[in-house]
Amino acid sequence: MALISIIPDFYPTGDARLLARAEELKPALHHEIKEPIGAFKLKERYSSEKNDLVLHQLPHITMGKGENICLDFGEHLVGHVTLELSYSGSHPDAPAFLKLKFAENFRELSENSQEYAGWLSRSWIQEEYVHVDVLPARLTLPRRYAFRYLKITMMDTSPKYKLLVKHAECMTETAAETGRAKLLQTGDKKLDRIYAVSLKTLADCMQEVFEDGPKRDRRLWTGDFRLQALTNYVSFRNYDLVKRCLYLFGGSRFPDGRVSACLFTKPTVEADDTYLMDYSLMYVVALEEYLQETGDEEALNDLYDIAMQQVEYAVRQCGPDDVVNEQAVKDTFIDWGDDLEKTACAQGVLIFALRYALRLARRKNDWSQANWLRQRQESLRKAACQHFWEEEKECFVSNGQISEASQIWMVLADVAEPEKAEKAMRKALILQEGPGIQTPYLHHYYVMALLRAGLREEAIAHLKNYWGGMLDAGADTFWECWDGKDPDRSPYGGSVVNSYCHAWSCTPAYIMERYLFSTNDSED
């Protein structure tokens, strides 16, 4: 178990003016009716074997006790479901007792949620038990679901009648204007498909905020948000949604001014009592990148001081040797996995963020702050090079551990000159031992570090291997975690709660558009 924070009597501070501005920026959601494109029955309740049904015959296919019908909507959807139910036989003399199971991919249909024993709440599992007292009925489910498949199981009924599913539809929801995004044509079919699925992943996570996953959490997380915003800039270009999220983070914070790792937005906006130093620093990065795209002076004036608070707090977590202290490392996410030594990573993220903070200070004409930031950036960079670079191993070593993560963040922070950066990333390419990379979140930064080290072909190969591997495994949207050698991997103790449409997985479109196949160069 990791990253659970419970602070007794936690009361975040609220800035009414910033929250009011965020409310003004709330997007209108776009809706579309989607219907199933296929249907089948599972041979057994938790079987992966199926018998296909002819879709146009669905309204005439009866379902008795213990039987199921699965509807395939053909693509990942986020929205509200309505079922039109009827019966065959005698007049119903008992309620129809149904189990509805929503699945983002096919393998979820055969997972038995009763076997889940992980540490994340099982209340996130998309299953409902419903009694329908009167048939025929039009059943509109109150909750929003993220799914491609819907399994309807008749748990119990009367022997006098059988159930008919006459019609099913989903009213989708997204803040993305999908018509604004154009698909990239690279000449490589796999890369083109990766690009398209990246945009679909982002669109389904774009709701009233940039959600981390529409199935589970449904929250605004700082680290995910930064990556979503980048992909949004090359696709749907919903700048108001980015601005709204920046104001939400600024409008509800820790009492000492720190930006929370995530926010709740309902029933009211409230910062979660989870602080991650690297995520709070990504707020600084995201603000500067938003200003690069828009030149929004209002946002600069309203949020500049908040951004500087995040940097100043993080810098105070450095010791006399200009290396981040134990508490800073403890407060840093980087990636799932308890065995990752994060000191070099935390140092690298801080130096990386100082680059963006310095740009903010220059935009603001805050030359005193800019001078301080430049000095701190240089002193932390020199300390990192002295503390973590080992010449004989030709890579960065974090308290005895060599990991891809350490190479990634030292390279992205420009700690070493280009020759050393290339050596570090070539070391990362061949590592066989160590904690490895657990999530698409760090895989994104891995690709960016390869590009920063000048390894373009290796970056393309990794995109095709990692995100393409999800496609080969049947992905309609990109997943929260993926390991081709262990498809059941979950950071939560059971894959039944994994998210199969997840914000931090959406960035291949951004990488391809800005760095690989576009004539428009962009700084990271």
Side-chain angles (χ1 to χ4, degrees):
M1 187 185 298
L3 299 181
I4 285 185
S5 176
I6 301 176
I7 301 177
D9 300 320
F10 177 75
Y11 300 105
T13 59
D15 187 315
R17 185 179 66 85
L18 295 183
L19 293 179
R21 187 70 180 100
E23 184 66 19
E24 293 172 355
L25 295 163
K26 182 183 291 186
L29 297 180
H30 306 284
H31 304 281
E32 190 175 356
I33 295 291
K34 296 286 188 176
E35 298 178 357
I37 65 164
F40 54 89
K41 289 190 175 189
L42 296 183
K43 291 184 177 181
E44 302 291 340
R45 186 171 176 184
Y46 298 112
S47 170
S48 60
E49 296 183 65
K50 63 186 180 73
N51 292 320
D52 289 328
L53 302 173
V54 179
L55 184 61
H56 74 264
Q57 293 180 353
L58 179 63
H60 309 290
I61 297 173
T62 62
M63 185 165 43
K65 181 178 178 179
E67 294 182 314
N68 70 80
I69 289 177
C70 300
L71 304 178
D72 177 5
F73 284 77
E75 61 179 316
H76 188 275
L77 302 176
V78 178
H80 293 82
V81 170
T82 295
L83 300 174
E84 291 186 9
L85 306 174
S86 190
Y87 67 93
S88 174
S90 299
H91 191 286
D93 62 337
F97 179 32
L98 307 177
K99 179 182 179 181
L100 307 177
K101 182 180 180 71
F102 294 86
E104 292 185 294
N105 63 18
F106 180 79
R107 65 189 298 273
E108 284 183 277
L109 292 175
S110 59
E111 290 183 305
N112 184 353
S113 62
Q114 298 305 309
E115 296 176 354
Y116 171 68
W119 59 269
L120 200 65
S121 173
R122 68 170 56 248
S123 65
W124 283 115
I125 299 173
Q126 298 185 118
E127 294 180 341
E128 309 290 348
Y129 289 90
V130 178
H131 287 81
V132 182
D133 294 304
V134 178
L135 292 168
R138 181 177 174 85
L139 178 65
T140 298
L141 300 172
R143 295 192 71 216
R144 195 195 74 188
Y145 300 96
F147 70 104
R148 172 176 170 172
Y149 301 97
L150 168 57
K151 182 168 76 170
I152 305 169
T153 303
M154 178 64 93
M155 300 298 292
D156 208 348
T157 184
S158 161
K160 296 190 69 171
Y161 76 95
K162 291 190 176 182
L163 190 73
L164 297 174
V165 180
K166 304 291 284 186
H167 181 73
E169 65 183 36
C170 177
M171 175 73 81
T172 65
E173 293 183 352
T174 178
E177 294 184 54
T178 54
R180 299 194 69 183
K182 296 181 180 179
L183 297 180
L184 192 68
Q185 301 296 324
T186 67
D188 184 307
K189 290 183 178 180
K190 176 152 281 188
L191 286 176
D192 290 348
R193 176 64 178 152
I194 290 171
Y195 190 97
V197 173
S198 297
L199 296 190
K200 174 64 172 170
T201 304
L202 175 61
D204 283 359
C205 291
M206 288 174 66
Q207 301 295 330
E208 291 186 352
V209 296
F210 284 101
E211 294 182 356
D212 65 322
K215 168 186 172 180
R216 201 207 65 243
D217 277 15
R218 306 182 183 185
R219 269 179 275 165
L220 177 61
W221 285 81
T222 336
D224 299 68
F225 160 63
R226 187 248 167 168
L227 300 187
Q228 289 170 289
L230 290 176
T231 306
N232 172 68
Y233 297 145
V234 302
S235 56
F236 308 116
R237 301 187 299 283
N238 190 331
Y239 300 109
D240 281 352
L241 187 59
V242 178
K243 185 174 182 177
R244 167 172 161 79
C245 293
L246 289 167
Y247 274 70
L248 287 171
F249 278 120
S252 183
R253 289 173 285 146
F254 275 62
D256 61 4
R258 286 177 290 165
V259 167
S260 176
C262 67
L263 290 176
F264 303 98
T265 57
K266 294 180 180 180
T268 58
V269 178
E270 184 178 341
D272 184 36
D273 57 350
T274 299
Y275 173 74
L276 298 173
M277 188 184 79
D278 51 336
Y279 270 34
S280 76
L281 291 170
M282 286 303 159
Y283 179 80
V284 181
V285 176
L287 174 59
E288 212 291 313
E289 289 167 334
Y290 169 75
L291 295 173
Q292 286 182 38
E293 294 290 327
T294 65
D296 187 338
E297 290 293 326
E298 179 189 39
L300 175 62
N301 292 331
D302 285 343
L303 304 177
Y304 174 78
D305 289 341
I306 296 171
M308 289 303 148
Q309 280 184 300
Q310 310 316 306
V311 172
E312 291 164 4
Y313 179 89
V315 167
R316 290 197 297 271
Q317 307 309 301
C318 296
D321 58 356
D322 281 329
V323 175
V324 290
N325 63 26
E326 185 178 341
Q327 185 60 49
V329 175
K330 182 180 178 181
D331 287 339
T332 297
F333 170 66
I334 302 299
D335 197 16
W336 284 112
D338 295 333
D339 52 350
L340 175 62
E341 213 299 311
K342 299 179 181 180
T343 307
C345 301
Q347 182 92 2
V349 173
L350 176 53
I351 299 168
F352 177 81
L354 285 169
R355 182 191 311 159
Y356 291 84
L358 180 57
R359 293 175 188 169
L360 283 173
R362 288 169 175 165
R363 283 184 185 274
K364 188 68 173 170
N365 294 321
D366 188 350
W367 302 113
S368 174
Q369 181 76 348
N371 186 54
W372 177 78
L373 289 165
R374 183 184 55 78
Q375 292 176 354
R376 297 306 296 145
Q377 182 184 27
E378 183 59 21
S379 62
L380 291 173
R381 190 197 67 78
K382 287 181 179 179
C385 198
Q386 295 169 0
H387 195 83
F388 299 111
W389 177 260
E390 293 196 11
E391 187 64 41
E392 67 278 10
K393 295 180 180 177
E394 296 188 327
C395 67
F396 295 96
V397 182
S398 185
N399 290 337
Q401 184 186 84
I402 300 174
S403 69
E404 292 96 338
S406 293
Q407 315 315 310
I408 290 166
W409 281 110
M410 289 287 101
V411 168
L412 291 177
D414 288 339
V415 166
E417 58 269 21
E419 182 181 352
K420 287 182 178 179
E422 181 179 347
K423 288 179 179 178
M425 291 313 297
R426 289 199 180 280
K427 174 72 74 171
L429 284 165
I430 62 173
L431 279 179
Q432 298 295 320
E433 299 179 353
I437 304 176
Q438 305 297 319
T439 63
Y441 180 72
L442 189 56
H443 277 283
H444 162 83
Y445 289 109
Y446 182 60
V447 173
M448 295 304 298
L450 288 171
L451 290 170
R452 199 159 189 88
L455 302 176
R456 181 179 186 275
E457 294 307 313
E458 289 81 356
I460 293 173
H462 192 73
L463 279 175
K464 294 179 70 172
N465 179 61
Y466 186 72
W467 279 270
M470 283 188 254
L471 293 183
D472 294 341
D476 299 302
T477 49
F478 288 129
W479 302 339
E480 178 179 19
C481 58
W482 167 246
D483 182 346
K485 297 178 181 178
D486 183 10
D488 293 327
R489 178 186 290 273
S490 172
Y492 311 115
S495 60
V496 71
V497 294
N498 283 6
S499 168
Y500 293 96
C501 176
H502 212 75
W504 66 22
S505 306
C506 74
T507 56
Y510 162 74
I511 295 169
M512 284 190 269
E513 183 69 41
R514 284 285 171 92
Y515 292 92
L516 297 176
F517 302 106
S518 175
T519 57
N520 296 320
D521 294 327
S522 175
E523 292 185 77
D524 70 341

